[in-house]
Amino acid sequence: MSDTVTAAEAMVAQLESYGVEYVFGTCGHTNIALLDAMGHSDIRFVIARHEQAAAHAADGYARATGKPGVVLLHVGPGMTNAVTGVMTAALDSVPLVAITGDVPSYYRGRHPHQEVNLHADGDQAAIYRPFVKRAWQVHRAADLARFTERAFWTATSGRPCAVLLSVPMDHFSRPVPRGTHTGYPLATPERPALPHEVAGRIADLLVAAQRPLVYLGGGLRRGPGLDALRSLVEHVDIPVAHSLMAKGTLPDSHPLLLGMPGFWGLELTNRYTREADVVLALATRFAETDASSWDRRYTWQFPPGQLIQIDIDPAEIGRNYPVTIGAVADVADAVRAIDAAVRDRQATPRTRPGLRETITATRRTLFTESRERGTSTRFPLRPERILTDLRAILPPDAILVTDVGWNKNGVAQCYELPEDGRFITPGGASTMGFGPAAAVGVQIAEPDRTVVALIGDGGLGAQLPAVPMAVEQGAPVIFVVMNNRSHGTISDLQSANFGRSYGCDFLGPDGTPYSPDFAAFGRACGADGYTVDSAAALGEALRAAIAARRPAVLDVPMVNEPVPTPGHWNIKDIYQGVFD
């Protein structure tokens, strides 16, 4: 047996030692040495027809498992095609490792085939630097194992994020000592705890507050931290608002859950956020739409309210609002510490008269009225008819993966997610085209659950390669296409502010609305295809698709109808010439 292996073989062994089971990506002449090594391992390569689809699928897999997603790319156009997908993961704090081949190291600067070189020689990593946590360019094969360990550590420690590892293609084929990968084990990150004294100060504020509120971001998932949050808010009777990304963290049926604040938030939610005297903000960046463009007239008022902000990323603390207490800590650990400190100070549960009844009644009205609108037999369907049928027919543990538009905003606002369900959406970048391929990654991660890609015709049109990917992988994703023959949300916005829609609707040569036959496209790819031609037909198609456990495309004609927006978003002011 030789004392050496190729750097590609060593890298694959290292990935296996890190628990990598799937790599998503596309092939190219700069990465096939790594692919060949991967073909002799237990790692499964999920081939995509477009690099953006590969990146979104890796992102979806990471969100579903909590493990880092891995995407393999090719030099130049291969890695630029993946920019939107990798950026989407990065802005949503998803751990993702992008590995890309690069031009041969000894041709750097001579402008070889597909080198990115108009500004600087061999400079493709610069394309990713504005949004990844770190980018490495490998200059020696001997460094590849060390940089691989650094990439996985950086992606998963602190605030999770995407990273880039750029490897000249010749380095994959160069020899390195056998067993090189064993010298770089991956440690488990130890996250910072909340100091006991700080937990006590926070508890003092919460116990003394007359109108406390918890604002929950996407950084807290199910587990001991969430159990402690429920214990805390139920013990002290504190209402909870959540960001878009935190939809489903607490069940929609919880009597203290207000839902989202901001643009798509209820007036009740925005009133509670305005009037709160102490706000405990957990793992949230106070995104613009959740904060009514930070206009104090609508959602958050600091001061006079006091803000306690806890985040793993120090850059987020105080970014948008001044803090009374700011703490860099693991949010799950912090909530456990705060819950214990509160109980030390107030052993008897507190009750705020009428609070739970008011929240429950308001939320019940929201969901009931939405379901009532969802009983409409109008065709093409109203958006809420689609949501109502999904809610009634899907298994309670189904995972909804959305895109942008009604499927994201409407679900976040008025879809009563079952306690065992999950909602996955692109928040930071709000990327059209995320849903189709991300759902494939989610389904690979959760093979026994029903996964629905709830998407618009614009979203599926942007990522058609997701459907053959699902077929090839045997992933029974149900693609529900809310087809209004338009980029509907933007069309509505333009019509409301400029009096007409232009450049936002899909039209044929004769000026009439146009759409591809998405059901026929699904069948052409080897999936099942259902054309919904009446209100009743949607439920029939959903039941059939769920029972078949095959990839399926449901083409659902839908009217263009705006999502209710009780809150505020500054873009409407801008169109009217108001710029402050």
Side-chain angles (χ1 to χ4, degrees), residues 239-288:
V240 180
H242 66 73
S243 70
L244 168 71
M245 299 302 291
K247 166 84 171 180
T249 304
L250 280 178
D252 277 327
S253 58
H254 195 284
L256 289 170
L257 190 67
L258 290 160
M260 289 191 304
F263 188 52
W264 291 291
L266 297 175
E267 171 51 37
L268 177 73
T269 308
N270 283 321
R271 176 163 60 84
Y272 271 84
T273 59
R274 284 194 306 272
E275 296 178 356
D277 57 353
V278 174
V279 173
L280 174 61
L282 302 170
T284 178
R285 60 190 179 90
F286 286 96
E288 182 185 7

Side-chain angles (χ1 to χ4, degrees), residues 59 184 191 308 350 367 451 485 551:
D59 181 355
Y184 299 93
R191 297 182 178 272
I308 305 162
R350 181 169 181 175
F367 295 133
V451 177
R485 292 164 169 74

Side-chain angles (χ1 to χ4, degrees), residues 102-186:
D102 202 348
V103 298
S105 60
Y106 45 84
Y107 284 156
R108 179 186 174 93
R110 298 185 67 178
H111 297 188
H113 184 55
Q114 295 182 310
E115 182 185 40
V116 177
N117 53 39
L118 294 180
H119 177 69
D121 295 330
D123 201 29
Q124 66 177 9
I127 299 168
Y128 275 50
R129 285 199 174 97
F131 53 85
V132 295
K133 195 173 182 181
R134 178 71 191 268
W136 287 267
Q137 290 178 287
V138 179
H139 297 296
R140 302 185 310 153
D143 292 331
L144 183 56
R146 178 165 59 89
F147 287 178
T148 299
E149 183 274 334
R150 289 291 81 197
F152 276 81
W153 171 265
T154 303
T156 55
S157 61
R159 180 177 181 171
C161 195
V163 298
L164 175 71
L165 187 59
S166 182
V167 187
M169 62 175 290
D170 56 298
H171 290 338
F172 284 130
S173 298
R174 292 182 185 272
V176 296
R178 183 179 295 276
T180 293
H181 70 282
T182 61
Y184 299 93
L186 185 63

Side-chain angles (χ1 to χ4, degrees), residues 380-381 383 406 456-458 481-489 491-492 504-506 513-515 555-561:
L381 275 63
W406 238 107
D457 52 311
V481 185
M482 302 174 78
N483 189 351
N484 55 13
R485 292 164 169 74
S486 173
H487 292 310
T489 298
S491 179
D492 289 335
C504 302
D505 306 308
F506 300 116
Y514 165 79
S515 174
D555 193 341
V556 189
M558 183 185 83
V559 296
N560 207 18
E561 191 171 88

Side-chain angles (χ1 to χ4, degrees), residues 222-546:
R222 293 173 183 175
L226 180 57
D227 295 340
L229 177 66
R230 294 184 73 149
S231 170
L232 170 66
V233 300
E234 290 169 4
H235 183 72
V236 198
D237 223 22
I238 303 178
V240 180
H242 66 73
S243 70
L244 168 71
M245 299 302 291
K247 166 84 171 180
T249 304
L250 280 178
D252 277 327
S253 58
H254 195 284
L256 289 170
L257 190 67
L258 290 160
M260 289 191 304
F263 188 52
W264 291 291
L266 297 175
E267 171 51 37
L268 177 73
T269 308
N270 283 321
R271 176 163 60 84
Y272 271 84
T273 59
R274 284 194 306 272
E275 296 178 356
D277 57 353
V278 174
V279 173
L280 174 61
L282 302 170
T284 178
R285 60 190 179 90
F286 286 96
E288 182 185 7
T289 52
D290 291 336
S292 295
S293 295
W294 309 290
D295 189 324
R296 62 184 288 110
R297 294 174 296 173
Y298 297 96
T299 301
W300 304 103
Q301 294 189 357
F302 305 115
Q306 297 185 83
L307 174 60
I308 305 162
Q309 189 171 5
I310 299 174
D311 203 286
I312 196 70
D313 184 357
E316 292 297 344
I317 295 174
R319 178 197 293 275
N320 287 311
Y321 294 108
V323 298
T324 300
I325 298 176
V328 177
D330 175 72
V331 67
D333 175 88
V335 173
R336 293 196 296 270
I338 294 167
D339 180 42
V342 164
R343 289 173 180 272
D344 285 344
R345 287 156 173 78
Q346 183 171 319
T348 305
R350 181 169 181 175
T351 300
R352 302 178 197 275
L355 173 65
R356 298 186 185 210
E357 293 78 7
T358 298
I359 294 173
T360 299
T362 304
R363 297 269 287 171
R364 184 183 296 124
T365 298
L366 168 71
F367 295 133
T368 300
E369 290 181 351
S370 179
R371 282 195 294 268
E372 288 173 352
R373 290 189 294 271
T375 62
S376 170
T377 58
R378 177 179 172 183
F379 189 83
L381 275 63
R382 298 186 70 179
E384 283 165 302
R385 174 59 191 260
I386 299 173
L387 300 191
T388 295
D389 281 9
L390 286 168
R391 180 66 175 79
I393 295 168
L394 290 179
D397 67 343
I399 302 174
L400 283 180
V401 185
T402 76
D403 218 81
V404 294
W406 238 107
N407 50 82
K408 171 173 73 77
N409 308 327
V411 170
Q413 182 188 79
C414 59
Y415 186 94
E416 191 172 7
L417 192 70
E419 185 163 359
D420 292 331
R422 179 116 187 241
F423 169 68
I424 294 176
T425 196
S430 199
T431 302
M432 186 177 69
F434 167 85
V440 178
V442 171
Q443 186 73 83
I444 289 172
E446 296 279 5
D448 298 325
R449 293 173 73 173
T450 297
V451 177
V452 173
L454 185 61
I455 50 185
D457 52 311
L460 184 57
Q463 276 300 308
L464 293 173
V467 178
M469 183 195 296
V471 173
E472 290 168 340
Q473 300 303 319
V477 175
I478 302 173
F479 301 89
V480 177
V481 185
M482 302 174 78
N483 189 351
N484 55 13
R485 292 164 169 74
S486 173
H487 292 310
T489 298
I490 306 304
S491 179
D492 289 335
L493 188 65
Q494 188 183 41
S495 296
N497 288 279
F498 296 96
R500 64 168 184 161
S501 174
Y502 178 78
C504 302
D505 306 308
F506 300 116
L507 305 173
D510 59 356
T512 59
Y514 165 79
S515 174
D517 185 335
F518 289 111
F521 170 73
R523 291 190 293 271
C525 293
D528 295 334
Y530 302 85
T531 300
V532 172
D533 56 10
S534 68
L538 173 58
E540 296 167 2
L542 273 173
R543 292 184 181 92
I546 293 168

